[in-house]
């Protein structure tokens, strides 16, 4: 995005990026999407990666001019996906090779984003922020009382209620992006031991879905792991200890593939993907049986992210214009 750019912003925002789904495309152009468009019956559909795994204007920052409104998509998710695409290409071409710092950070942020960038998480985050925005603590009210001006509302909660719905929504979207910053679990994942595993030709092809990451245990425990299909015959894994890595690699290949396909299909919300429609019966049996939980519903009373501080009340008008100067 720049002042001299004449390129129109894209409103098609992929929560499952094209570069990832292309790995399941026959001939590099088409893959099979399984979904339930009408009732409980799973239907296969052949289409390109660009035609699935998206929602128009999903990451739009409400209330801003068109270019600024696309900042989260263009300056955050597209940059993450670009670095992750390079990392995925290296993982495939040279298994076991060291990723560059940019690739490792990009791949980590990509993994974390897959937990948070889907439509259900986006909507739930907005709802949590809307519900919690005007909730305050006695300490916050005390700080407000000492800083407020004569014409300001009597309480900090009432002051917060004067903020526009769009401003609150933009705060929610910023918090969504903040989850991918190098803190806590994101930093831990980046420092785990990474590897990849190619499955034998005689095993079934790996499936993927709109919830492709399988996680076992809390990240801090020794035998925790993260696994994810990255091609129909290729698995990425992240572990804390060499023992956990060996335990994964030494599993019988057909059983490992079967279990991964089952979990990836069960935790899907909308879509499962394959190279052909052969797994239709399997997908019909398992799809969305154990849908992945929505993380945003566990956000505590006061969500993280930029929020009006009572001590900054004297510049409240400027804060209301915050995102016009710093979109993300």
């Amino acid at each position: 995005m720049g002042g001299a750019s004449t390129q129109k912003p894209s409103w098609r925002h992929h929560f499952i990026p094209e570069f990832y789904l292309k790995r399941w495309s026959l001939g590099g152009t088409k893959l099979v999407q399984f979904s339930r468009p009408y009732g409980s019956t799973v239907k296969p559909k052949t289409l390109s990666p660009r035609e699935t795994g998206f929602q128009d204007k999903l990451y739009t920052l409400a209330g801003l001019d068109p270019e600024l409104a696309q900042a989260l998509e263009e300056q955050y998710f597209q940059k993450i996906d670009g670095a992750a695409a390079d990392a995925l290409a290296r993982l495939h071409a040279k298994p076991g090779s060291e990723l560059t710092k940019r690739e490792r950070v990009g791949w980590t942020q990509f993994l974390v984003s897959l937990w948070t960038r889907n439509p259900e998480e986006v909507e739930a985050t907005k709802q949590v922020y809307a519900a919690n925005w005007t909730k305050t603590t006695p300490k916050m009210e005390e700080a407000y009382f000492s800083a407020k001006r004569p014409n300001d509302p009597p309480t900090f909660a009432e002051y917060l209620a004067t903020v526009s719905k769009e401003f609150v929504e933009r705060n929610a979207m910023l918090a969504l992006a903040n989850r991918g910053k190098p803190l806590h679990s994101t930093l831990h994942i980046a420092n785990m031991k990474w590897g990849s595993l190619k499955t034998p030709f005689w095993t079934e092809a790996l499936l993927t879905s709109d919830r492709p990451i399988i996680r076992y245990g809390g990240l801090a425990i020794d035998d925790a792991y993260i696994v994810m299909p990255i091609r129909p015959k290729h698995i990425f894994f992240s572990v804390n200890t060499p023992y956990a890595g060996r335990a994964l690699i030494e599993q019988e290949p057909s059983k490992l593939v079967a279990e991964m396909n089952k979990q990836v299909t069960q935790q899907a919300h909308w879509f499962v993907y394959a190279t052909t429609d052969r797994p239709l019966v399997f997908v019909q049996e398992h799809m969305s049986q154990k849908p992945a939980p929505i993380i945003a519903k566990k956000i505590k009373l006061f969500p993280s992210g930029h929020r009006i501080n009572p001590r900054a009340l004297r510049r409240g008008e400027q804060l209301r214009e915050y995102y016009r100067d710093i979109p993300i």
Side-chain angles (χ1 to χ4, degrees):
M1 185 177 72
S5 175
T6 59
Q7 184 177 358
K8 292 183 178 180
S10 172
W11 301 107
R12 177 172 288 190
H13 298 167
H14 281 82
F15 52 92
I16 300 296
E18 292 180 71
F19 83 86
Y20 175 70
L21 290 180
K22 281 180 181 178
R23 308 294 168 165
W24 275 263
S25 300
L26 288 176
T29 57
K30 301 288 185 179
L31 78 166
V32 175
Q33 166 198 282
F34 297 94
S35 66
R36 289 191 172 116
Y38 313 106
S40 61
T41 302
V42 173
K43 297 290 186 181
K45 185 177 182 179
T46 301
L47 34 64
S48 74
R50 179 169 173 74
E51 298 170 314
T52 184
F54 73 90
Q55 180 174 306
D56 287 343
K57 301 184 180 182
L58 180 60
Y59 311 124
T60 297
L61 297 172
L64 299 182
D65 294 334
E67 285 192 359
L68 286 176
Q70 296 305 299
L72 190 60
E73 165 68 7
E74 295 178 354
Q75 297 184 19
Y76 185 71
F77 285 121
Q78 286 186 11
K79 288 182 178 180
I80 288 175
D81 293 346
D86 293 341
L88 184 56
R90 187 187 294 269
L91 287 169
H92 173 66
K94 297 179 180 179
S97 62
E98 286 292 324
L99 300 178
T100 66
K101 182 178 180 179
R102 171 182 174 272
E103 291 167 347
R104 194 171 183 94
V105 170
W107 186 253
T108 302
Q109 291 182 310
F110 172 64
L111 293 177
V112 174
S113 79
L114 290 177
W115 283 318
T116 62
R117 69 196 288 180
N118 57 75
E120 293 75 29
E121 288 290 345
V122 172
E123 182 59 29
T125 301
K126 290 178 181 179
Q127 290 178 1
V128 167
Y129 262 68
N132 289 334
W133 185 259
T134 59
K135 294 180 180 179
T136 62
T137 65
K139 187 175 181 180
M140 294 169 69
E141 291 291 351
E142 182 180 346
Y144 173 83
F145 184 79
S146 64
K148 80 181 188 74
R149 297 164 297 189
N151 294 328
D152 287 328
T155 68
F156 187 43
E158 291 174 287
Y159 179 84
L160 291 172
T162 68
V163 175
S164 70
K165 177 183 176 182
E166 289 80 9
F167 185 88
V168 178
E169 188 172 300
R170 292 198 296 269
N171 274 262
M173 298 302 289
L174 180 62
L176 197 77
N178 281 343
R179 294 187 208 171
K181 289 187 176 181
L183 300 170
H184 309 304
S185 60
T186 305
L187 186 59
H188 185 93
I189 293 170
N191 290 326
M192 292 174 78
K193 297 172 176 59
W194 292 5
S196 62
L197 172 65
K198 291 190 174 182
T199 59
F201 72 92
W202 43 265
T203 60
E204 292 288 339
L206 291 158
L207 306 177
T208 192
S209 74
D210 56 26
R211 301 297 196 280
I213 300 176
I214 299 169
R215 173 176 164 179
Y216 172 76
L219 290 177
I221 65 175
D222 287 346
D223 57 350
Y225 63 76
I226 293 171
V227 293
M228 174 181 171
I230 54 176
R231 290 179 72 92
K233 294 286 183 178
H234 202 175
I235 299 166
F236 166 82
F237 65 86
S238 180
V239 297
N240 283 328
T241 64
Y243 170 79
R246 288 194 301 271
L248 186 66
I249 293 172
E250 291 172 0
Q251 288 191 48
E252 200 281 314
S254 60
K255 290 183 179 180
L256 174 61
V257 170
E259 183 57 31
M260 284 189 63
N261 282 346
K262 183 178 179 181
Q263 290 194 45
V264 163
T265 303
Q266 286 182 331
Q267 63 194 26
H269 280 235
W270 295 101
F271 306 120
V272 175
Y273 301 101
T275 56
T276 72
D277 62 4
R278 180 181 172 185
L280 176 58
V281 174
F282 178 89
V283 176
Q284 177 68 62
E285 179 182 358
H286 297 289
M287 186 171 180
S288 305
Q289 292 299 307
K290 298 179 181 178
I294 299 174
I295 301 171
K297 291 184 176 180
K298 299 179 180 180
I299 294 177
K300 294 182 179 180
L301 179 63
F302 301 115
S304 61
H306 289 277
R307 175 175 181 146
I308 294 178
N309 187 320
R311 296 188 183 280
L313 187 63
R314 298 193 188 282
R315 55 187 180 89
E317 285 74 19
Q318 291 92 330
L319 284 174
R320 295 188 191 205
E321 298 297 316
Y322 181 79
Y323 283 93
R324 294 193 180 276
D325 299 322
I326 309 173
I328 61 172

